[in-house]
Amino acid sequence: MESAVEELMPRLLPVGHCDLTEDFDPTLPPRTPQEYLKRVQIEAAQCPDVVVAQIDPRKLRKKQTVNIALTGCHPAPEGYSPTLKWQQQQVSNFSAVRQPKSDDEEGWKLFCLGERLYSEAAVAVPGNENLGIDYIKIGFPPFLSIVSRMNQATVTSVLEYLINWFGEKEFTPELGRWLYALLACLEKPLLPEAHSLIRQLARRCSEVRVLEENKNEEKVSALNLLICLVSRYFDQRDLADEPS
């Protein structure tokens, strides 16, 4: 029987015959390594060869689990299923959110600002009223899921693209959100190209602010914020506004 047990549970370490003193008592704590090994052998010999679990069949009848393999999704209830046109639009939006390459300047401008702002032609597209938010048209906001995947090279490149665009165009909320998000992604100390870009941004903001005749508080506040971040946070103090 002992050899059969060793076939099922072979010894991890070879243990030979233990030379023990005559006063060895297995009921007392072992005093030597030999006594410890002997005690383990005695306890192992006392274990039954087969152990049967005691199961109460009444508990099994009360809590039975039924596994059902489903081959597909449950069909949508009546009136809940989206149209094919809506699904195609969402797939198109999702494809765009996977981002253009870092050196694709026109692609990034279109991605951030949308077709309407990028082309400066807000032409309504019929039949899109119920397609949800069309980010292709209005541009993708700087979602955390997007900007968190951008490395510093991409952040700097996209910042350059948008600042160059801003140099010839008007300031918009969409542009402001992206500029703010990209500034938040810039790591300090700044790389030389990033240093030059943010100074260019602050100067352009100050130019647009001077030309603002309607005193649009929301627009002026956004321009002030960008100038403040460049000058105060990124230590370009010569560009800072004098406190009022």
Side-chain angles (χ1 to χ4, degrees):
M1 178 62 69
E2 184 174 342
S3 61
V5 172
E6 288 193 4
E7 289 181 3
L8 296 176
M9 296 186 298
R11 295 179 181 180
L12 181 62
L13 297 173
V15 179
H17 177 72
C18 297
D19 296 327
L20 303 174
T21 59
E22 296 181 357
D23 60 345
F24 169 68
D25 185 351
T27 62
L28 297 177
R31 296 168 297 179
T32 64
Q34 289 78 12
E35 290 185 0
Y36 171 77
L37 293 174
K38 185 62 177 179
R39 183 171 178 175
V40 171
Q41 291 176 335
I42 294 174
E43 292 177 352
Q46 294 173 349
C47 294
D49 295 334
V50 179
V51 179
V52 180
Q54 300 299 323
I55 300 176
D56 186 352
R58 293 172 298 179
K59 295 182 178 180
L60 293 179
R61 285 195 293 269
K62 291 181 181 178
K63 299 181 179 180
Q64 292 193 19
T65 302
V66 179
N67 294 322
I68 302 176
L70 299 177
T71 57
C73 295
H74 294 289
E78 185 177 355
Y80 283 40
S81 180
T83 64
L84 176 60
K85 191 173 184 179
W86 182 90
Q87 295 179 60
Q88 291 172 337
Q89 181 66 57
Q90 304 315 309
V91 171
S92 175
N93 289 350
F94 184 77
S95 299
V97 82
R98 295 176 67 87
Q99 300 185 20
K101 296 181 179 179
S102 62
D103 58 350
D104 183 4
E105 179 172 355
E106 301 306 313
W108 273 108
K109 291 177 183 177
L110 185 62
F111 178 87
C112 299
L113 305 174
E115 288 181 352
R116 293 177 179 175
L117 189 59
Y118 178 71
S119 62
E120 296 185 341
V123 179
V125 179
N128 282 2
E129 291 81 3
N130 298 320
L131 296 182
I133 300 176
D134 188 352
Y135 288 122
I136 303 299
K137 295 294 183 184
I138 67 174
F140 286 87
F143 294 126
L144 181 61
S145 58
I146 298 175
V147 296
S148 62
R149 293 189 298 166
M150 298 168 65
N151 56 34
Q152 285 298 291
T154 303
V155 170
T156 304
S157 295
V158 178
L159 188 62
E160 179 182 5
Y161 303 152
L162 296 183
I163 291 175
N164 290 342
W165 189 89
F166 181 34
E168 302 175 355
K169 308 291 183 180
E170 287 294 322
F171 182 85
T172 64
E174 295 84 359
L175 176 64
R177 284 191 287 268
W178 267 102
L179 291 173
Y180 184 93
L182 294 170
L183 288 178
C185 294
L186 279 181
E187 296 179 358
K188 297 174 69 176
L190 294 174
L191 297 174
E193 53 268 32
H195 177 273
S196 175
L197 282 171
I198 64 171
R199 290 183 62 86
Q200 180 182 342
L201 172 61
R203 287 192 294 265
R204 176 56 180 165
C205 287
S206 66
E207 292 172 0
V208 174
R209 184 176 58 182
V210 169
L211 299 175
E212 182 59 34
E213 298 178 353
N214 299 325
K215 294 186 178 179
N216 184 322
E217 292 186 6
E218 184 175 342
K219 182 176 180 180
V220 171
S221 178
L223 295 170
N224 286 345
L225 175 59
L226 293 174
I227 295 172
C228 174
L229 294 178
V230 170
S231 60
R232 303 288 182 179
Y233 182 82
F234 290 103
D235 301 318
Q236 308 301 307
R237 299 304 175 96
D238 60 307
L239 302 177
D241 287 320
E242 292 294 332
S244 57

